[in-house]
Amino acid sequence: MSAPPAPSRPPSRPRLGVFKFASCDGCQLTLLDCEDELLGLADEWDIAHFPEASSAVASGPYDLSLVEGSVSTPEHLQRVRRVRAASRYLVTIGACATAGGVQALRNYAGIEEYLATVYARPDYIQSLAASTPIAAHVPVDFELRGCPIDRGQLLEVITAFLAGRKPAIPNHSVCFSCKRRGNVCVTVAHGVPCLGPVTHAGCGALCPTYGRGCYGCFGPADTTNLPALVPLMHRDGMDDADIARYLHTFNVTAFTAVEEEGPG
C-alpha cells in the first residue's frame, strides 16, 4: 500500500511592513482603527513588521511597505534606504511622509536656534538641517495624502496592491466633495477663507461641512490654480503672510512646490 500523499503547502501570503519616521503615529493608528477590516487584511497579508501593533517583527523582504513620517535625522536617512531596498513596493502615507509634515516648518529657520530652545542639551541631538518627504531620498511607488490619512483610502491602496492594480484614489479638489455633500460654499456665502479649491479630496469636506474653511490637510490637488485663489483670500481679509502660513501648515514642501510652479 502506497503512502498517502503529503499535504500540500498553502500558498505564501504577501508580506506587509509598516514603518515610522518623524511623525505623530496618527497615520499608523488609522490602520489600527480599521478594526474588522484589519482582520480581513491579516487573512490576506502576512503583517511582518508593524511595531505599533506588535513587538513580533520580522526582517524583509516585504512585498508592500507603508511608510509614515518625514526624514529628519541622519539615522532616518540611512534607515529609509534600507526599507526601500527591502521593499518590492513602497507607499508613503500621510502629510509627513509625502510633504515633510508640520515639522518641516523648521526648514524656514536655523536648526541650531530650535535645538537650543527645545532641548536642555542640544549637543546630544542629531538632526538634519531640514525635514523632508520620503520621496526626496528614495523612489516611492504611491503617495497617500492626508493629516491623518483617510481610513477608506488606506484600505483601497492596500487592496489595490494586493490585486495588482492602480489605487482608485480621487484626484479632484475638496470643492467637488462639498458639492456632493450639498454644502453651501463658505467662501461665497460667508467670506470665510478656504483652501478647498486647491486641496486634494479625501477628508469628505469635513471642515466646510461644519462652517469652517479648508486648512489644506490633504495637500495640493493634482490640478491647482493657486494664483486664482489668492485674490479671494485677500478679499476675505488675509495678507500674503497669512496666506503663506495657511498654505504651509500641514504640507509644507508640497504647497511650496505649487507656489514655485505657478498655475496647474
Side-chain angles (χ1 to χ4, degrees):
M1 182 177 179
S2 60
S8 60
R9 296 181 62 184
S12 60
R13 293 174 297 171
R15 306 180 81 231
L16 175 68
V18 184
F19 299 88
K20 168 189 165 61
F21 291 83
S23 65
C24 71
D25 287 30
C27 293
Q28 292 183 83
L29 289 174
T30 299
L31 178 56
L32 290 176
D33 286 344
C34 290
E35 297 179 346
D36 292 343
E37 292 88 347
L38 185 59
L39 296 177
L41 287 175
D43 289 336
E44 301 295 333
W45 291 88
D46 175 12
I47 303 178
H49 187 285
F50 190 6
E52 185 80 16
S54 173
S55 59
V57 296
S59 58
Y62 309 101
D63 293 282
L64 174 64
S65 289
L66 304 177
V67 177
E68 175 193 74
S70 64
V71 174
S72 297
T73 70
E75 186 273 335
H76 288 163
L77 189 55
Q78 296 174 10
R79 186 158 56 92
V80 75
R81 291 168 178 164
R82 293 197 299 269
V83 172
R84 174 69 268 188
S87 306
R88 181 182 180 191
Y89 296 110
L90 188 149
V91 172
T92 49
I93 57 173
C96 295
T98 62
V102 173
Q103 61 268 27
L105 289 170
R106 69 179 174 87
N107 298 357
Y108 295 100
I111 186 64
E112 292 79 11
E113 180 182 353
Y114 283 121
L115 291 176
T117 301
V118 174
Y119 298 101
R121 290 296 305 269
D123 50 311
Y124 288 173
I125 306 301
Q126 299 293 319
S127 180
L128 297 173
S131 177
T132 48
I134 300 297
H137 305 283
V138 297
V140 169
D141 296 295
F142 191 83
E143 293 185 332
L144 184 62
R145 303 176 188 175
C147 187
I149 54 174
D150 175 75
R151 173 176 171 271
Q153 287 191 353
L154 176 60
L155 290 170
E156 162 59 20
V157 167
I158 296 173
T159 302
F161 275 92
L162 179 64
R165 60 174 174 81
K166 181 180 179 180
I169 302 299
N171 59 10
H172 50 255
S173 71
V174 171
C175 288
F176 186 90
S177 300
C178 270
K179 295 295 185 183
R180 294 187 65 180
R181 295 191 66 156
N183 292 342
V184 173
C185 178
V186 295
T187 296
V188 173
H190 307 296
V192 175
C194 180
L195 291 179
V198 298
T199 297
H200 200 284
C203 64
L206 180 63
C207 289
T209 298
Y210 291 94
R212 302 190 299 268
C214 169
Y215 291 93
C217 302
F218 275 66
D222 292 356
T223 301
T224 298
N225 189 355
L226 186 58
L229 180 64
V230 170
L232 292 178
M233 302 182 84
H234 284 157
R235 181 204 67 186
D236 296 333
M238 301 185 76
D239 60 23
D240 288 340
D242 293 330
I243 294 171
R245 283 193 294 269
Y246 211 35
L247 289 171
H248 296 157
T249 302
F250 298 98
N251 292 269
V252 177
T253 64
F255 272 116
T256 298
V258 169
E259 293 172 280
E260 293 172 351
E261 292 170 4

